[in-house]
Amino acid sequence: MYVVIFRAKTRELDSEYFSVANKMRDIAIEQFGCIEFTAVTEGANEIALSYWPNEESIRAWKSHAEHKIAQQLGRERWYESYTVQVAHISREYSF
């Protein structure tokens, strides 16, 4: 399993942002095999963790046409900066 870690400094988040974010999450899960998607915001800091079965799914999601438009809107309007990391999860524990 893989995790995509998205960390951002946000600008002003409007209602369109939340609509687009919810739609992108639904598409990632329903069309690209995303296993889980969690996002939190504290002040101007946002972090989103999405879990994926493989790197091919992540690449397909990154290049999806609607996601590309959302990425462009993010750079132009909603994010001051962001970082994306992709990591392989070799173990998981829970209680």
Side-chain angles (χ1 to χ4, degrees):
M1 179 168 36
Y2 289 82
V3 61
V4 175
I5 305 163
F6 176 84
R7 293 178 299 149
K9 295 284 185 193
T10 61
R11 295 182 181 137
E12 189 70 30
L13 300 179
D14 55 19
S15 61
E16 184 180 9
Y17 166 82
F18 294 103
S19 176
V20 170
N22 286 332
K23 184 176 184 181
M24 292 302 101
R25 179 186 328 229
D26 290 346
I27 291 172
I29 292 168
E30 294 167 7
Q31 295 182 29
F32 291 92
C34 179
I35 299 163
E36 181 181 343
F37 194 112
T38 304
V40 294
T41 303
E42 183 178 295
N45 296 303
E46 177 181 296
I47 187 165
L49 304 172
S50 58
Y51 297 87
W52 300 82
N54 53 54
E55 287 189 88
E56 293 77 22
S57 297
I58 297 167
R59 284 190 203 99
W61 166 238
K62 186 176 186 325
S63 64
H64 181 258
E66 285 184 84
H67 188 210
K68 285 185 157 293
I69 293 168
Q71 291 170 51
Q72 185 64 35
L73 286 170
R75 285 188 294 272
E76 292 172 358
R77 295 175 44 193
W78 302 314
Y79 297 119
E80 184 178 309
S81 63
Y82 64 82
T83 302
V84 178
Q85 298 169 306
V86 178
H88 179 258
I89 297 172
S90 59
R91 268 175 277 177
E92 179 179 341
Y93 301 89
S94 43
F95 173 76

